[in-house]
Amino acid sequence: MIGNLKPLEIVLIIAVIVLLFGAKKLPEMARSLGKSARILKSEAKAMKKDGENEDAANAAPVADQAPQQPVAPRTIQAAPGDVTSSRPVNEPNRTTQG
């Protein structure tokens, strides 16, 4: 429908828009429309990125189903050169296999 408009019809539509909204309001409306389009685009990108992150998180447990290796106890690392303050981490919820 829009592709069938002749140049005279397009000029007439533009003239009606200018008369309805006024020449002073049109730049503000165009800025608002551009700002809205940028916000929509950034939100769409964020939603797409979140979807990819969820897909990766859902795929990770499938890869973790391989036989697990024995887990060495974790230790809190001391400052370089200070080996006297290193100690094992007490984690009751963590189980070791093997």
Side-chain angles (χ1 to χ4, degrees):
M1 179 173 156
I2 293 176
N4 296 335
L5 293 177
K6 298 175 184 164
L8 182 59
E9 294 170 339
I10 294 173
V11 170
L12 184 62
I13 291 171
I14 292 173
V16 169
I17 291 173
V18 169
L19 287 174
L20 285 176
F21 296 108
K24 292 181 180 179
K25 282 285 190 181
L26 287 177
E28 290 178 25
M29 291 171 56
R31 277 188 217 102
S32 297
L33 183 64
K35 202 180 279 188
S36 299
R38 280 192 301 273
I39 291 171
L40 180 65
K41 186 177 179 181
S42 68
E43 290 296 324
K45 282 184 181 179
M47 289 176 63
K48 185 176 180 182
K49 187 176 180 181
D50 287 345
E52 290 173 357
N53 289 344
E54 288 177 6
D55 290 343
N58 290 339
V62 173
D64 288 340
Q65 291 177 356
Q68 293 186 358
Q69 300 292 329
V71 179
R74 293 185 355 183
T75 59
I76 296 174
Q77 298 297 320
D82 182 18
V83 292
T84 59
S85 62
S86 292
R87 64 184 188 280
V89 177
N90 186 11
E91 294 179 342
N93 294 336
R94 193 168 179 193
T95 60
T96 58
Q97 295 179 351

